[in-house]
Amino acid sequence: MFEGFTLERIDVGDAELRVRHGGTGPPVLLLHGHPRTHVTWHKVAPVLAEQFTVVCPDLRGYGESSKPPTTPDHAPYSKRAMAGDCAALMRGLGHEQFCVAGHDRGTYVAQRLAMDHPALVSRLCLMEGIPIAEALDRCDAKFAASWYHWFFFGQTEKPAERFINADPEAWYTATAEHMGHEAFEDYRRAIHDPATVHAMIEDYRAGLGIDRTHDDTDRAAGRRISCPLLFLWAAQDDMEDLYGDPLAIWRDWADDVRGCSIDCGHHIAEEAPAALATHLTSFFAPS
């Protein structure tokens, strides 16, 4: 996987990130979701690397990146903290402005990166998520039935970690056939590490509290995403069933929004890598 890429661990201040980077051209940052690692991009990143410098980190807490101690408000696992890691990472690699793509939980980190560090992000692709504040505002019985894990993970009275760690592969059901053997083994190591499971759950606890507060504060202040935004969603997932037209939601947060669905399931980079690479190449190409 990732032929020609460099794999290293980079200190970004409050965390150390496992990072793979390679290629030549304008810089692109790819942010994975839960419970994946940066390896989820292994079919997409090499294609992009033909035209771009591609940077793929494990988000803090995920994979082999460090797991800072948490706090009662879960701020160390807020998307603001993760976005700060990404800003420091890209600056450390010499990139003062770059494109970003985020999937699933990585969507929230990418959104926060564009909101908190607008001078850094030239173009933004988000996949399979609407702002956390919007999702929670729209939460109904249908959402709760489909996405109950948000609330299972989010509570602390009966921590989810105990149940997941009892049999991680029963809870997380990816397969080598789906992901590819090497990618699956990387993912499998992550889900069998109790420290990683705890950190991934902390991401969701932050989501129900401090992350929502950050979204609400931005919305009340009228802050918007200033760069062009491409939103992609999986036609075989439930984005349209839950929200109708997701582009209409993102237009409340950004001025320049475009997007479409891709005929696949939730893990777009693994299920439709060629289509995703085509969309990203076209959108991120310099004018």
Side-chain angles (χ1 to χ4, degrees), residues 7-57:
L7 177 64
E8 57 183 324
R9 284 164 172 77
I10 298 177
D11 187 341
V12 295
D14 292 335
E16 183 181 83
L17 304 184
R18 181 176 66 152
V19 182
R20 214 178 290 252
H21 55 98
T24 57
V28 170
L29 176 66
L30 303 179
L31 304 178
H32 64 83
H34 175 98
R36 298 312 204 242
T37 72
H38 78 274
V39 175
T40 194
W41 303 107
H42 74 101
K43 297 177 183 178
V44 174
V47 178
L48 297 181
E50 295 172 6
Q51 299 183 45
F52 303 96
T53 299
V54 181
V55 181
C56 307

Side-chain angles (χ1 to χ4, degrees), residues 66-259:
S66 64
K67 286 83 176 161
T70 194
T71 58
D73 65 356
H74 314 290
Y77 292 90
S78 68
K79 308 314 156 291
R80 175 158 286 162
M82 293 182 180
D85 293 342
C86 294
L89 169 65
M90 295 302 278
R91 286 192 179 110
L93 292 173
H95 306 307
E96 292 301 324
Q97 193 174 57
F98 47 89
C99 300
V100 183
H103 173 260
D104 186 74
R105 304 303 288 186
T107 281
Y108 305 132
V109 181
Q111 171 199 342
R112 183 50 48 197
L113 186 58
M115 297 287 284
D116 288 359
H117 307 273
L120 297 183
V121 180
S122 58
R123 289 192 164 230
L124 179 67
C125 176
L126 304 177
M127 290 171 266
E128 285 286 275
I130 63 171
I132 287 175
E134 299 279 4
L136 293 175
D137 286 351
R138 289 166 167 75
C139 181
D140 58 12
K142 185 174 185 179
F143 180 89
S146 298
W147 294 84
Y148 68 93
H149 66 277
W150 276 35
F151 310 103
F152 175 50
F153 292 172
Q155 55 81 41
T156 56
E157 291 299 313
K158 296 180 179 180
E161 292 93 326
R162 178 179 178 182
F163 302 95
I164 296 170
N165 289 330
D167 191 348
E169 290 182 61
W171 179 265
Y172 295 119
T173 56
T175 66
E177 290 74 21
H178 177 84
M179 297 181 67
H181 178 73
E182 288 182 86
F184 177 75
E185 287 304 314
D186 189 84
Y187 147 90
R188 190 172 180 273
R189 285 194 300 274
I191 66 170
H192 278 270
D193 177 6
T196 299
V197 170
H198 172 61
M200 293 193 297
I201 300 308
E202 280 293 299
D203 171 358
Y204 282 81
R205 292 174 181 141
L208 295 185
I210 193 169
D211 290 334
R212 184 182 192 179
T213 298
H214 293 157
D215 274 6
D216 286 341
T217 300
D218 281 339
R219 184 164 52 180
R223 284 189 285 270
R224 297 170 65 80
I225 294 169
S226 57
C227 66
L229 188 160
L230 173 68
F231 184 69
L232 302 173
W233 66 98
Q236 297 174 29
D237 207 359
D238 59 0
M239 181 63 60
E240 293 180 61
D241 289 340
L242 289 173
Y243 304 119
D245 179 7
L247 299 181
I249 296 172
W250 279 110
R251 289 188 179 109
D252 287 337
W253 291 76
D255 297 323
D256 182 350
V257 178
R258 66 205 76 175

